[in-house]
Amino acid sequence: MTNKEDILGVTVGKLLPSIFKQWTDADVVLVSERLVSFIHAVMATTAGCIVVSSCNNVITDRHWLTTYFVVWFGVPYMTYDIYAMYLSHYYRFRVNGHEEYKKHSLQTVNSFVRRELLLVLHHIALLTILLPITLFFRKDQGDYFIGCLFLTELSTPFVSLGKILIQLGLQDCWIHKANGMMVLLSFFVCRLALFPYMYWVYGRHYAIPLYSVPFHLSLACNLGNLCILAPQVYWFVLLCRKGYRLYQRQGKARDTSCITDNNKGD
Protein backbone atom coordinates (compact mmCIF):
# COMPACT_ATOMS: atom_id res chain seq x y z
CA MET A 1 0.00 0.00 0.00
CA THR A 2 1.40 3.40 -1.00
CA ASN A 3 1.63 5.92 1.81
CA LYS A 4 -0.13 8.89 0.21
CA GLU A 5 0.49 11.17 3.18
CA ASP A 6 4.24 10.48 3.04
CA ILE A 7 4.33 11.32 -0.68
CA LEU A 8 2.35 14.52 -0.08
CA GLY A 9 4.61 15.52 2.81
CA VAL A 10 7.76 15.02 0.75
CA THR A 11 6.30 16.99 -2.17
CA VAL A 12 5.31 19.92 0.03
CA GLY A 13 8.68 19.76 1.79
CA LYS A 14 10.45 20.19 -1.54
CA LEU A 15 8.24 23.05 -2.73
CA LEU A 16 8.33 25.23 0.38
CA PRO A 17 12.10 26.00 0.39
CA SER A 18 11.87 27.32 -3.16
CA ILE A 19 9.10 29.72 -2.09
CA PHE A 20 10.35 30.72 1.37
CA LYS A 21 14.12 30.76 0.93
CA GLN A 22 14.75 32.19 4.41
CA TRP A 23 13.09 29.26 6.19
CA THR A 24 15.17 26.72 8.08
CA ASP A 25 14.71 22.95 7.84
CA ALA A 26 12.68 23.13 11.06
CA ASP A 27 10.31 25.69 9.51
CA VAL A 28 9.83 23.62 6.34
CA VAL A 29 9.15 20.38 8.26
CA LEU A 30 6.71 22.12 10.61
CA VAL A 31 4.66 23.70 7.84
CA SER A 32 4.77 20.52 5.73
CA GLU A 33 3.42 18.50 8.66
CA ARG A 34 0.66 21.03 9.29
CA LEU A 35 -0.39 21.20 5.64
CA VAL A 36 -0.69 17.41 5.45
CA SER A 37 -2.65 17.41 8.73
CA PHE A 38 -4.93 20.12 7.33
CA ILE A 39 -5.66 18.12 4.16
CA HIS A 40 -6.19 14.82 6.01
CA ALA A 41 -8.51 16.49 8.53
CA VAL A 42 -10.66 17.97 5.76
CA MET A 43 -10.91 14.52 4.15
CA ALA A 44 -11.75 12.83 7.47
CA THR A 45 -14.41 15.41 8.31
CA THR A 46 -15.95 15.06 4.84
CA ALA A 47 -15.98 11.27 5.17
CA GLY A 48 -17.56 11.58 8.62
CA CYS A 49 -20.32 13.85 7.32
CA ILE A 50 -21.07 11.42 4.49
CA VAL A 51 -21.19 8.36 6.76
CA VAL A 52 -23.24 10.02 9.51
CA SER A 53 -25.77 11.51 7.12
CA SER A 54 -26.18 8.15 5.33
CA CYS A 55 -27.00 6.04 8.40
CA ASN A 56 -30.63 6.12 9.47
CA ASN A 57 -30.22 3.21 11.86
CA VAL A 58 -27.22 4.10 14.03
CA ILE A 59 -26.49 0.46 14.85
CA THR A 60 -27.01 -1.62 11.74
CA ASP A 61 -26.68 0.72 8.74
CA ARG A 62 -23.45 0.35 6.77
CA HIS A 63 -21.45 2.64 4.48
CA TRP A 64 -18.48 1.46 2.41
CA LEU A 65 -16.52 4.65 3.13
CA THR A 66 -16.14 3.77 6.83
CA THR A 67 -13.72 0.88 6.40
CA TYR A 68 -12.22 2.26 3.18
CA PHE A 69 -11.16 5.54 4.79
CA VAL A 70 -9.66 3.87 7.87
CA VAL A 71 -7.57 1.44 5.82
CA TRP A 72 -6.44 3.71 2.98
CA PHE A 73 -6.12 7.05 4.74
CA GLY A 74 -6.44 6.78 8.54
CA VAL A 75 -3.74 4.19 9.14
CA PRO A 76 -1.16 5.70 6.72
CA TYR A 77 -1.76 9.16 8.16
CA MET A 78 -1.35 8.13 11.81
CA THR A 79 1.88 6.31 10.92
CA TYR A 80 3.15 9.25 8.88
CA ASP A 81 2.21 11.80 11.55
CA ILE A 82 4.31 10.11 14.24
CA TYR A 83 7.30 10.23 11.88
CA ALA A 84 6.55 13.85 10.87
CA MET A 85 6.27 14.95 14.50
CA TYR A 86 9.64 13.35 15.21
CA LEU A 87 11.24 15.16 12.25
CA SER A 88 9.76 18.46 13.42
CA HIS A 89 11.17 17.85 16.90
CA TYR A 90 14.56 16.81 15.52
CA TYR A 91 15.08 19.77 13.19
CA ARG A 92 13.82 22.28 15.76
CA PHE A 93 16.52 21.23 18.21
CA ARG A 94 19.12 20.83 15.48
CA VAL A 95 18.58 24.40 14.27
CA ASN A 96 18.87 25.62 17.87
CA GLY A 97 22.39 24.15 17.99
CA HIS A 98 21.98 21.13 20.26
CA GLU A 99 25.04 18.93 19.77
CA GLU A 100 23.21 15.62 20.17
CA TYR A 101 20.96 16.52 17.22
CA LYS A 102 23.69 16.51 14.58
CA LYS A 103 22.38 13.09 13.50
CA HIS A 104 19.48 10.78 14.26
CA SER A 105 20.01 8.44 17.19
CA LEU A 106 18.18 6.57 19.92
CA GLN A 107 18.82 9.59 22.12
CA THR A 108 16.93 11.92 19.79
CA VAL A 109 14.07 9.42 19.49
CA ASN A 110 13.88 9.01 23.28
CA SER A 111 13.88 12.78 23.73
CA PHE A 112 11.00 13.11 21.26
CA VAL A 113 8.96 10.38 22.95
CA ARG A 114 9.46 11.96 26.39
CA ARG A 115 8.43 15.42 25.18
CA GLU A 116 5.45 14.25 23.11
CA LEU A 117 4.46 11.18 25.13
CA LEU A 118 0.72 11.89 25.20
CA LEU A 119 0.52 12.54 21.46
CA VAL A 120 2.57 9.44 20.66
CA LEU A 121 0.41 7.27 22.94
CA HIS A 122 -2.72 8.78 21.36
CA HIS A 123 -1.55 7.83 17.86
CA ILE A 124 -0.42 4.36 18.92
CA ALA A 125 -3.74 3.74 20.70
CA LEU A 126 -5.66 4.66 17.56
CA LEU A 127 -3.54 2.24 15.52
CA THR A 128 -3.60 -0.65 17.99
CA ILE A 129 -7.08 -0.27 19.53
CA LEU A 130 -9.42 1.71 17.30
CA LEU A 131 -8.18 0.11 14.06
CA PRO A 132 -8.80 -3.54 15.11
CA ILE A 133 -12.21 -2.59 16.55
CA THR A 134 -13.18 -0.81 13.34
CA LEU A 135 -12.07 -3.64 11.07
CA PHE A 136 -12.69 -6.84 13.02
CA PHE A 137 -14.48 -6.66 16.38
CA ARG A 138 -17.58 -4.52 15.90
CA LYS A 139 -19.41 -7.20 13.89
CA ASP A 140 -20.27 -4.87 10.98
CA GLN A 141 -22.22 -2.54 13.26
CA GLY A 142 -21.88 1.07 14.33
CA ASP A 143 -20.71 2.77 11.13
CA TYR A 144 -22.59 5.84 12.36
CA PHE A 145 -20.38 6.09 15.45
CA ILE A 146 -17.19 5.53 13.47
CA GLY A 147 -18.34 8.41 11.26
CA CYS A 148 -18.79 10.51 14.39
CA LEU A 149 -15.21 9.74 15.38
CA PHE A 150 -14.07 10.95 11.95
CA LEU A 151 -15.71 14.28 12.83
CA THR A 152 -13.30 14.79 15.73
CA GLU A 153 -10.84 15.95 13.06
CA LEU A 154 -12.93 19.08 12.41
CA SER A 155 -10.75 21.14 14.77
CA THR A 156 -7.46 20.07 13.18
CA PRO A 157 -7.59 22.41 10.14
CA PHE A 158 -7.98 25.39 12.48
CA VAL A 159 -5.13 24.19 14.74
CA SER A 160 -2.89 23.67 11.72
CA LEU A 161 -3.84 27.01 10.18
CA GLY A 162 -2.99 28.78 13.43
CA LYS A 163 0.54 27.35 13.45
CA ILE A 164 1.02 28.20 9.77
CA LEU A 165 -0.12 31.79 10.35
CA ILE A 166 2.37 32.12 13.20
CA GLN A 167 5.12 30.76 10.95
CA LEU A 168 4.19 33.40 8.35
CA GLY A 169 4.38 36.15 10.99
CA LEU A 170 0.63 36.81 10.93
CA GLN A 171 -0.11 36.06 14.58
CA ASP A 172 -1.36 39.62 15.21
CA CYS A 173 -3.81 39.77 12.29
CA TRP A 174 -7.57 39.42 12.69
CA ILE A 175 -7.52 36.11 10.79
CA HIS A 176 -5.37 34.50 13.50
CA LYS A 177 -7.66 35.82 16.25
CA ALA A 178 -10.79 34.57 14.48
CA ASN A 179 -9.07 31.23 13.82
CA GLY A 180 -8.25 30.94 17.52
CA MET A 181 -11.93 31.26 18.40
CA MET A 182 -12.76 28.58 15.83
CA VAL A 183 -10.12 26.29 17.37
CA LEU A 184 -11.77 26.48 20.79
CA LEU A 185 -15.32 26.18 19.43
CA SER A 186 -14.64 23.28 17.05
CA PHE A 187 -12.48 21.46 19.60
CA PHE A 188 -15.17 21.69 22.29
CA VAL A 189 -18.01 20.62 19.99
CA CYS A 190 -16.30 17.82 18.05
CA ARG A 191 -13.83 16.46 20.61
CA LEU A 192 -15.66 16.89 23.91
CA ALA A 193 -19.42 17.34 23.40
CA LEU A 194 -19.40 14.69 20.67
CA PHE A 195 -18.98 11.85 23.20
CA PRO A 196 -22.07 12.58 25.35
CA TYR A 197 -23.92 13.17 22.07
CA MET A 198 -23.01 9.66 20.85
CA TYR A 199 -24.18 8.20 24.18
CA TRP A 200 -27.44 10.15 23.82
CA VAL A 201 -27.98 8.87 20.25
CA TYR A 202 -27.31 5.31 21.41
CA GLY A 203 -29.77 5.72 24.27
CA ARG A 204 -32.44 7.14 21.99
CA HIS A 205 -32.07 4.15 19.67
CA TYR A 206 -32.73 1.71 22.52
CA ALA A 207 -35.20 4.01 24.30
CA ILE A 208 -33.12 4.28 27.46
CA PRO A 209 -32.13 7.45 29.38
CA LEU A 210 -28.68 8.95 28.91
CA TYR A 211 -27.51 8.05 32.43
CA SER A 212 -28.26 4.36 31.77
CA VAL A 213 -26.25 4.14 28.54
CA PRO A 214 -22.84 3.43 30.18
CA PHE A 215 -24.41 0.46 31.99
CA HIS A 216 -25.89 -0.79 28.72
CA LEU A 217 -22.48 -0.78 27.01
CA SER A 218 -19.60 -3.13 27.68
CA LEU A 219 -16.79 -2.12 30.01
CA ALA A 220 -14.33 -2.25 27.11
CA CYS A 221 -16.44 0.21 25.11
CA ASN A 222 -16.68 2.65 28.01
CA LEU A 223 -12.96 2.41 28.73
CA GLY A 224 -12.14 2.92 25.05
CA ASN A 225 -14.26 6.07 24.91
CA LEU A 226 -12.67 7.31 28.12
CA CYS A 227 -9.16 6.72 26.77
CA ILE A 228 -10.00 8.79 23.68
CA LEU A 229 -11.82 11.52 25.62
CA ALA A 230 -9.31 12.03 28.47
CA PRO A 231 -6.46 13.53 26.39
CA GLN A 232 -8.98 15.71 24.54
CA VAL A 233 -10.00 17.28 27.86
CA TYR A 234 -6.34 17.85 28.74
CA TRP A 235 -5.58 19.46 25.36
CA PHE A 236 -8.69 21.65 25.57
CA VAL A 237 -7.56 22.98 28.94
CA LEU A 238 -4.15 23.76 27.44
CA LEU A 239 -5.81 25.57 24.51
CA CYS A 240 -7.93 27.64 26.91
CA ARG A 241 -4.86 28.58 28.95
CA LYS A 242 -2.97 29.55 25.80
CA GLY A 243 -5.88 31.65 24.60
CA TYR A 244 -6.16 33.37 27.98
CA ARG A 245 -2.44 34.19 28.03
CA LEU A 246 -2.70 35.60 24.50
CA TYR A 247 -5.68 37.73 25.55
CA GLN A 248 -3.72 39.05 28.55
CA ARG A 249 -0.69 39.93 26.39
CA GLN A 250 -2.86 41.78 23.88
CA GLY A 251 -4.57 43.66 26.71
CA LYS A 252 -1.23 44.73 28.16
CA ALA A 253 -0.03 45.75 24.68
CA ARG A 254 -3.13 47.95 24.23
CA ASP A 255 -2.64 49.54 27.64
CA THR A 256 1.01 50.27 26.87
CA SER A 257 0.04 51.76 23.51
CA CYS A 258 -2.58 54.01 25.15
CA ILE A 259 -0.07 55.21 27.76
CA THR A 260 2.48 55.94 25.04
CA ASP A 261 -0.07 57.86 22.96
CA ASN A 262 -1.13 59.89 26.02
CA ASN A 263 2.49 60.75 26.82
CA LYS A 264 2.99 61.93 23.25
CA GLY A 265 -0.13 64.05 23.53
CA ASP A 266 1.20 65.69 26.68
Side-chain angles (χ1 to χ4, degrees):
M1 179 176 62
T2 303
N3 192 327
K4 302 171 183 63
E5 285 75 9
D6 190 34
I7 295 173
L8 179 59
V10 171
T11 303
V12 173
K14 290 182 177 179
L15 289 176
L16 288 176
S18 63
I19 302 173
F20 302 97
K21 300 183 184 301
Q22 74 279 14
W23 281 6
T24 65
D25 290 339
D27 298 331
V28 172
V29 171
L30 172 65
V31 175
S32 299
E33 176 197 351
R34 288 302 166 181
L35 283 174
V36 175
S37 295
F38 185 101
I39 294 171
H40 173 267
V42 171
M43 294 171 60
T45 302
T46 303
C49 289
I50 293 172
V51 172
V52 168
S53 62
S54 300
C55 296
N56 295 318
N57 187 305
V58 299
I59 302 299
T60 59
D61 280 1
R62 303 295 314 281
H63 194 286
W64 64 269
L65 190 56
T66 307
T67 303
Y68 180 88
F69 187 85
V70 170
V71 172
W72 289 98
F73 293 97
V75 173
Y77 171 74
M78 287 300 166
T79 306
Y80 157 82
D81 201 41
I82 294 176
Y83 176 65
M85 288 191 300
Y86 165 72
L87 286 182
S88 181
H89 165 87
Y90 174 82
Y91 282 110
R92 183 171 73 250
F93 280 85
R94 182 176 179 177
V95 168
N96 290 336
H98 291 262
E99 290 294 326
E100 63 272 25
Y101 283 83
K102 287 186 176 180
K103 62 180 181 178
H104 299 282
S105 65
L106 286 177
Q107 184 178 1
T108 61
V109 173
N110 288 334
S111 176
F112 161 70
V113 172
R114 288 197 303 270
R115 287 178 175 272
E116 304 292 348
L117 180 61
L118 189 57
L119 270 174
V120 173
L121 289 177
H122 173 69
H123 281 59
I124 292 176
L126 291 177
L127 287 171
T128 59
I129 299 176
L130 185 60
L131 173 62
I133 291 175
T134 302
L135 297 181
F136 307 114
F137 299 120
R138 60 190 180 94
K139 299 177 182 178
D140 294 332
Q141 294 184 337
D143 279 24
Y144 178 89
F145 297 105
I146 301 298
C148 286
L149 291 178
F150 290 166
L151 294 178
T152 60
E153 289 293 321
L154 178 61
S155 63
T156 302
F158 301 107
V159 174
S160 298
L161 180 59
K163 292 185 178 295
I164 293 172
L165 289 173
I166 292 174
Q167 182 62 41
L168 294 173
L170 300 175
Q171 61 268 29
D172 294 324
C173 71
W174 68 268
I175 297 177
H176 185 263
K177 296 174 183 177
N179 184 74
M181 295 300 296
M182 289 304 301
V183 168
L184 291 177
L185 178 61
S186 60
F187 201 101
F188 176 79
V189 171
C190 291
R191 296 206 177 211
L192 300 183
L194 180 66
F195 285 87
Y197 168 76
M198 288 193 293
Y199 273 61
W200 174 78
V201 168
Y202 183 92
R204 187 180 65 173
H205 177 80
Y206 287 104
I208 58 176
L210 178 61
Y211 64 83
S212 298
V213 173
F215 304 101
H216 197 266
L217 296 171
S218 66
L219 178 61
C221 183
N222 286 310
L223 289 177
N225 287 327
L226 182 62
C227 288
I228 298 175
L229 178 61
Q232 313 304 328
V233 174
Y234 172 74
W235 288 323
F236 183 72
V237 171
L238 292 184
L239 287 172
C240 290
R241 288 178 178 176
K242 183 178 180 180
Y244 180 69
R245 289 195 299 267
L246 179 61
Y247 175 79
Q248 283 185 315
R249 285 200 300 269
Q250 291 175 345
K252 291 178 181 178
R254 285 194 297 267
D255 293 341
T256 303
S257 177
C258 290
I259 293 173
T260 302
D261 291 341
N262 290 335
N263 290 338
K264 289 180 179 178
D266 295 338

